[in-house]
Amino acid sequence: MLLQRWVDASSYTGPIADFAWLALKAQGVVGVWIQCWGGRSPNPYAENQLWSARKMGLMTGIYGLVNFVDPPGTLSGVAQAKRTMQAAGQELRHILWCAIDVETVSGIPGWPNNNVGPIPSNIERIKHFEWTLLDGHIPPVIYTGGPSWHPLTGNVNDWSAAGYGLIHAAFHGADWPTHLPLVSYGGWQQPCAWQWKNTTVIEGESFDLNVFDDAWVKAMLWENMRRWARCS
């Protein structure tokens, strides 16, 4: 299996200088996915981060962290998906996919119960987030890890059964992986991508490191071209 090297960045990274993108490309990085929604607020740098990466020849994706604990009347899955897409601005048509970030949150003040709400409500928010992305012609993918998927969803297999890819989060300290791991949660057996290392500083900028299945990314590229051809 051929793998592509990607990174992801968030609002904490801030504006990203061209020389940082060049340093990443020198390490073989071909794409970046950007946090557009942090669970309670959008990333104010998202559109610029996406544009600057694409300007330097990198492929792009986005993600939104689902808030499961604040009242659904103000932060429903629909509202959170819309704010995720809005944060991408004019760059939305260039992204390949949006990851629905399903994870517990610990050690951050103001997040009750580590972002773990009642399982039926959690599943409803994920589904509404998914459906809103589809209405906006944006392909969803799931980002999570077993320690988050189990308490938040009860280990349902709805999204693997629907054919959605999994970006698997599990960190280790080795060099860039040459294979994707096997997994055993949510009905998935192998992810389409692996976030294998968290906060890594490159040229003064903070990124997480990922590897993606080359065939999966190429399929998303093709689908992106077809999607916007239909919409234009």
Side-chain angles (χ1 to χ4, degrees):
M1 175 188 294
L2 293 176
L3 298 180
Q4 296 184 5
R5 295 181 179 184
W6 283 58
V7 297
D8 62 272
S10 69
S11 58
Y12 296 106
T13 309
I16 301 170
D18 288 352
F19 62 79
W21 295 128
L22 290 172
L24 288 167
K25 291 180 71 173
Q27 295 187 30
V29 171
V30 298
V32 58
W33 47 302
I34 296 293
Q35 176 212 63
C36 282
W37 171 249
R40 283 186 168 152
S41 60
N43 172 6
Y45 309 107
E47 185 174 10
N48 178 265
Q49 290 170 333
L50 290 163
W51 174 80
S52 66
R54 187 171 60 84
K55 179 185 68 172
M56 300 303 290
L58 296 171
M59 294 177 283
T60 58
I62 62 174
Y63 71 96
L65 170 64
V66 184
N67 181 321
F68 295 109
V69 291
D70 284 344
T74 55
L75 283 177
S76 65
V78 171
Q80 294 186 69
K82 286 182 176 179
R83 297 190 72 178
T84 300
M85 291 188 286
Q86 288 166 358
Q90 296 299 311
E91 289 298 307
L92 188 66
R93 69 173 295 124
H94 300 289
I95 67 166
L96 302 186
W97 37 263
C98 176
I100 305 173
D101 184 351
V102 179
E103 64 177 302
T104 57
V105 176
S106 60
I108 301 178
W111 284 84
N113 200 32
N114 294 340
N115 197 33
V116 180
I119 286 176
S121 173
N122 297 341
I123 292 173
E124 180 179 79
R125 289 198 195 193
I126 300 169
K127 286 186 179 294
H128 288 177
F129 201 117
E130 169 204 348
W131 297 339
T132 305
L133 292 177
L134 292 173
D135 284 345
H137 308 289
I138 303 299
V141 60
I142 300 295
Y143 165 83
T144 192
S148 289
W149 192 255
H150 282 271
L152 287 168
T153 72
N155 201 34
V156 298
N157 67 355
D158 300 36
W159 286 273
S160 61
Y164 289 126
L166 167 69
I167 302 175
H168 171 62
F171 306 131
H172 72 88
D175 199 359
W176 286 94
T178 57
H179 68 280
L180 293 174
L182 298 177
V183 299
S184 58
Y185 60 89
W188 289 286
Q189 295 181 328
Q190 191 168 58
C192 65
W194 178 14
Q195 187 187 71
W196 62 276
K197 192 171 184 180
N198 59 356
T199 309
T200 302
V201 178
I202 299 172
E203 295 291 342
E205 310 284 8
S206 296
F207 302 96
D208 298 332
L209 307 184
N210 311 257
V211 287
F212 279 74
D213 177 356
D214 178 76
W216 184 84
V217 174
K218 287 177 177 174
M220 300 304 285
L221 271 168
W222 174 243
E223 177 55 32
N224 185 59
M225 289 187 289
R226 293 180 58 208
R227 180 170 76 249
W228 291 109
R230 293 193 299 267
C231 294
S232 59

